[in-house]
Amino acid sequence: MTTTSERTEPGRLPSGTEAAEGLCAYVDASPSPFHAVAEAARLLRERGFTELDETQAWPAEPGRHYVLRGGSLVAWSTEHADGPASPFRVVGAHTDSPNLRIKPQPDVTRAGWQLLGVEVYGGPLLSSWLDRDLGLSGRVAVRGADGTPEPRLVTVDEPVLRVAQLAIHLDRDVNTEGVKLNPQQHLSPLWGVGTAPSDFTGWLAERAGCAADEVLGWDLMTHDLTPSRLIGRDRDLVAAPRLDNLATSYAGVRALVTAIEQAPAEPCTQVLVLFDHEEVGSMSERGAFSTLLPVVLERVVASRGGGREDYLRALAGTIIASGDMAHATHPNYAERHEPQHQVAMNGGPVLKVNTKLRYATDAMGAAAFVTACGQAGVPVQKFVVRSDLPCGSTVGPMTAALTGATTVDFGAPLLSMHSCRELAGAADQPMYAAALAAFLSPA
């Protein structure tokens, strides 16, 4: 499939089908957070961004740059800043999605089968992983020639794994009582027949291009092999894995490369941050609860000759838009949604509000986002969870607390959130990117 980056000129956002197909290509190229940031970096390099090393000094002249830290990325342009104290306009998202991850000692034999031990990551709809052809992807740490560990991306886009469901003949109540799965007992994927240990490390070493004794560790996960695609009578829906939250990651990349071609009304540094580990609480060296974003922002200020005072002044004028997907109103479960805040698929970006601050949105943050949508000419929807249901959360409140910056949480409509395959609107994708581009380059 031709990617959006190959067809879209600088400064122009992709249109409807083009944007949806670009999203499908991005998702299929990003089976793990490590692949997601590698693909985002590739798209940014096409627009003149250069990678910086966190251990090296950063350039003082205006430019377009990004840094990678595991499955996280921060990219920025200082081309439209007028000094080290210029405020930041930040769009945030996350790269990880719920899935099944491979344990350190995964070889399991049981009842004449070879299986792999897995651990549940995040909060997936477990039943959606049953009876699917699954591949493997992620990062392997390999001993380099000088003995220093080096990371290697691994992608196994072959149907090597399957979590088999119990036949209805042996579980007669499954259709009335539901599927009940014990994560330890029922989710180990099959990958061979036999009673001897299967030597996963040796098999992985072949895919990583090294000897088995050179494999030092891994961050590996399963992924569904069904390609992302447009579906529906009018092909106006996107069926794909990991839309939560690769749809926002992709929209953020498209928005940044568009926004940097337009001078904002007020000088600012335009920033995109894609965090890993949101689905498990963000408390890591590269999650939203880490110092990753504040440190990068401070170093951007310092690289341009600014000091601590300049950094604090820049933060005081900063606005952050934290993007994560939003619940579209489900037609078969409409009663589960707040009746005064129905969210329509293909109805435009969604402002997310919660008085318990599970979302960071306040009046001023909402005003900035609504203004950006108006500038982009796209509608705005509003989401509030029912008062008798708990509300999920995302990276917005964490980034707000760590930076002290005005923050707004938003999303795009989604059904089947946290399923192995999710459903979004094709027409929502260009509106999503357009709103974020306007936010990053306010008129």
Side-chain angles (χ1 to χ4, degrees):
M1 181 181 293
T2 303
T3 65
T4 300
S5 64
E6 294 168 331
R7 299 184 300 188
T8 304
E9 296 299 321
R12 185 180 73 82
L13 283 163
S15 59
T17 301
E18 187 181 2
E21 289 180 345
L23 171 60
C24 289
Y26 177 73
V27 170
D28 289 346
S30 306
S32 79
F34 310 104
H35 292 80
V37 296
E39 182 66 6
R42 183 187 71 80
L43 295 172
L44 291 170
R45 288 194 299 272
E46 291 181 352
R47 294 294 187 254
F49 284 77
T50 58
E51 182 176 0
L52 300 181
D53 189 326
E54 288 191 84
T55 66
Q56 304 295 320
W58 290 358
E61 61 273 8
R64 307 173 182 183
H65 307 289
Y66 68 89
V67 296
L68 297 175
R69 187 186 290 182
S72 296
L73 172 148
V74 187
W76 65 93
S77 167
T78 53
E79 296 165 282
H80 301 304
D82 65 353
S86 288
F88 299 95
R89 278 278 174 147
V90 184
V91 166
H94 68 87
T95 58
D96 60 320
S97 301
N99 55 28
L100 306 177
R101 302 207 169 187
I102 308 301
K103 291 181 176 179
Q105 296 178 177
D107 295 308
V108 176
T109 58
R110 186 185 306 140
W113 289 91
Q114 295 172 330
L115 308 94
L116 291 183
V118 295
E119 189 171 5
V120 175
Y121 178 88
L125 285 169
L126 293 177
S127 62
S128 70
W129 288 84
L130 301 177
D131 296 327
R132 291 186 180 272
D133 295 338
L134 302 176
L136 275 176
S137 61
R139 179 178 67 170
V140 181
V142 174
R143 183 184 293 109
D146 61 355
T148 303
E150 62 180 49
R152 295 186 187 177
L153 291 185
V154 172
T155 309
V156 181
D157 274 331
E158 303 169 10
V160 293
L161 300 173
R162 185 181 181 91
V163 182
Q165 187 170 355
L166 185 64
I168 191 171
H169 311 77
L170 304 177
D171 187 8
R172 295 288 185 178
D173 297 328
V174 66
N175 287 333
T176 55
E177 301 297 326
V179 180
K180 299 178 181 179
L181 299 171
N182 180 296
Q184 174 70 21
Q185 184 178 355
H186 301 141
L187 293 180
S188 297
L190 313 168
W191 79 322
V193 178
T195 57
S198 54
D199 186 20
F200 176 78
T201 302
W203 178 88
L204 176 62
E206 293 181 7
R207 274 87 192 148
C210 65
D213 62 0
E214 294 174 336
V215 175
L216 303 176
W218 57 70
D219 302 301
L220 294 173
M221 57 210 72
T222 56
H223 65 271
D224 178 38
L225 292 177
T226 307
S228 305
R229 62 190 305 176
L230 301 186
I231 69 167
R233 182 192 61 203
D234 300 318
R235 298 182 75 244
D236 57 351
L237 300 170
V238 180
R242 303 180 296 280
L243 291 174
D244 176 15
N245 191 27
L246 292 186
T248 310
S249 298
Y250 180 70
V253 172
R254 298 308 324 164
L256 180 61
V257 300
T258 299
I260 58 178
E261 303 295 338
Q262 307 164 14
E266 297 292 336
C268 66
T269 298
Q270 297 151 313
V271 182
L272 171 68
V273 57
L274 307 180
F275 292 112
D276 198 356
H277 295 151
E278 187 274 345
E279 299 292 357
V280 291
S282 296
M283 190 176 290
S284 69
E285 93 291 354
R286 58 183 183 268
F289 208 21
S290 74
T291 60
L292 172 61
L293 180 60
V295 164
V296 168
L297 297 184
E298 185 168 8
R299 291 192 66 180
V300 170
V301 171
S303 69
R304 306 200 66 214
R308 183 70 175 175
E309 175 70 11
D310 296 298
Y311 171 58
L312 296 178
R313 288 173 58 201
L315 284 186
T318 292
I319 305 178
I320 300 174
S322 161
D324 209 344
M325 302 304 278
H327 297 291
T329 300
H330 197 302
N332 295 336
Y333 302 91
E335 73 281 359
R336 298 296 184 95
H337 300 267
E338 162 58 42
Q340 297 302 114
H341 295 80
Q342 303 284 290
V343 174
M345 195 75 82
N346 288 325
V350 182
L351 186 67
K352 301 162 75 171
V353 179
N354 181 257
T355 59
K356 297 181 178 65
L357 294 184
R358 300 290 285 171
Y359 304 131
T361 306
D362 64 4
M364 298 308 294
F369 188 74
V370 170
T371 299
C373 289
Q375 177 183 329
V378 302
V380 183
Q381 304 188 83
K382 296 178 181 178
F383 172 81
V384 176
V385 74
R386 282 180 59 101
S387 298
D388 53 0
L389 290 177
C391 182
S393 190
T394 183
V395 301
M398 298 177 194
T399 53
L402 287 170
T403 63
T406 296
T407 303
V408 56
D409 274 302
F410 66 93
L414 189 71
L415 288 182
S416 304
M417 189 179 291
H418 284 202
S419 173
C420 189
R421 288 183 69 80
E422 298 164 322
L423 191 67
D428 280 319
Q429 306 319 308
M431 291 191 285
Y432 205 26
L436 299 189
F439 176 85
L440 286 171
S441 188

